[in-house]
Amino acid sequence: MTDNPVLYQAADGIAIVTLNRPDQRNAINPAMCDAIRAAFDRVEADDDVQVAILTGAGTMFCAGMDLKAFAAGAGDEILFGQYGFGGFVKRPRTKPVIAAVEGGALAGGFEMMLACDLAVAGDMAEFALPEVRIGLIPGAGGAVRLPTSIPRVRANEILLTGKPFNAGEAVFWDVINRVAPDGDALKVARGIAADIAANAPLAVRHTLAIAKASHAANDAAHWPLNDQLIVEIGQTADAAEGARAFIEKRAPIWRGR
């Protein structure tokens, strides 16, 4: 495994983009944002690539934002750089992307999965939007996309409790497409990708554009409020306390301000 924060390979019409900070649970820092943007620039520019798979190295898809980088002042770069969180969640794309999740998709990692067009997870994977537990909000698309993707009351439970749920629940709630045997998420995602790549490229892209149109309009209407509230919450004492408590592995002491 190299030191590159993102790995890229392409063959048979399929690109595989791998988040590559396994020792940090593939948490997103500024260098990874830059590398993700570059990887999907390649996906969009390569006429031989028809579909991409986003996955994670090691035992975790992505644990979200690197809170050490956030505590060091890199939050704006990670959240508000080009294309939003991870250089991905707001990215305009013409080609389908499948998330292949092992271990877990947590916080911003879950929101990156939601930004993909399809998702497969190993049967031991867990999912959560735990931001409210550390004084933040799920502002990388979770609060925007989840309530329009699954029943409102279920989305509210996920958003407001911050509690994790498993792959069986995720597929039952239509958060993901399929559950694979543990360790086989990428294999199953490759199978779906091969089915897509075998189809007419322009037909796939135009069909995807139509399918995404209504969601894109909803996203555009809600991102401004989402981003405003990220900024506001990020400046609170509770947000700073939540990050410190997480790093120090202790319970936070909330002040309500």
Side-chain angles (χ1 to χ4, degrees):
M1 196 68 70
T2 73
D3 292 332
N4 293 333
V6 171
L7 306 179
Y8 184 95
Q9 57 180 317
D12 302 321
I14 303 167
I16 300 177
V17 178
T18 305
L19 306 179
N20 187 40
R21 297 185 73 211
D23 293 344
Q24 304 298 324
R25 304 199 304 165
N26 296 320
I28 304 294
N29 64 5
M32 187 175 274
C33 293
D34 291 340
I36 293 169
R37 277 190 288 268
F40 282 96
D41 284 346
R42 292 179 68 177
V43 169
E44 289 293 316
D46 189 343
D47 290 338
D48 291 331
V49 170
Q50 307 306 327
V51 56
I53 298 172
L54 179 63
T55 192
T59 59
M60 174 73 68
F61 173 74
C62 178
M65 180 163 57
D66 185 329
L67 288 182
K68 291 182 180 178
F70 173 77
D76 282 356
E77 190 173 355
I78 297 168
L79 289 164
F80 299 119
Q82 188 181 27
Y83 307 135
F85 180 81
F88 182 74
V89 299
K90 296 182 183 179
R91 185 185 182 107
R93 293 183 285 99
T94 65
K95 302 176 184 181
V97 178
I98 305 168
V101 177
E102 298 285 0
L106 309 176
F110 183 79
E111 291 167 302
M112 290 183 72
M113 186 194 82
L114 287 177
C116 294
D117 303 295
L118 301 95
V120 175
D123 59 13
M124 299 300 290
E126 282 196 332
F127 307 85
L129 290 171
E131 284 88 343
V132 293
R133 295 185 164 200
I134 56 170
L136 298 173
I137 65 172
V144 169
R145 292 185 167 125
L146 198 61
T148 61
S149 300
I150 66 174
R152 178 181 59 85
V153 293
R154 183 66 67 190
N156 286 343
E157 181 179 350
I158 293 168
L159 290 164
L160 300 178
T161 69
K163 288 185 176 180
F165 55 99
N166 61 36
E169 292 168 314
V171 76
F172 181 75
W173 297 337
D174 294 328
V175 175
I176 62 175
N177 295 85
R178 298 185 192 175
V179 177
D182 193 40
D184 282 351
L186 181 57
K187 177 181 177 182
V188 172
R190 281 180 186 268
I192 298 172
D195 288 341
I196 294 171
N199 295 327
L202 288 179
V204 167
R205 293 177 205 176
H206 285 25
T207 300
L208 180 65
I210 296 167
K212 291 173 68 173
S214 62
H215 288 287
N218 178 76
D219 288 0
H222 292 93
W223 278 120
L225 176 61
N226 179 90
D227 293 354
Q228 174 192 332
L229 294 179
I230 291 177
V231 172
E232 290 181 9
I233 202 78
Q235 295 171 345
T236 64
D238 276 356
E241 165 64 9
R244 282 195 302 268
F246 181 86
I247 293 167
E248 295 169 6
K249 303 185 186 307
R250 61 173 174 81
I253 301 171
W254 303 124
R255 305 295 184 187
R257 60 178 187 274

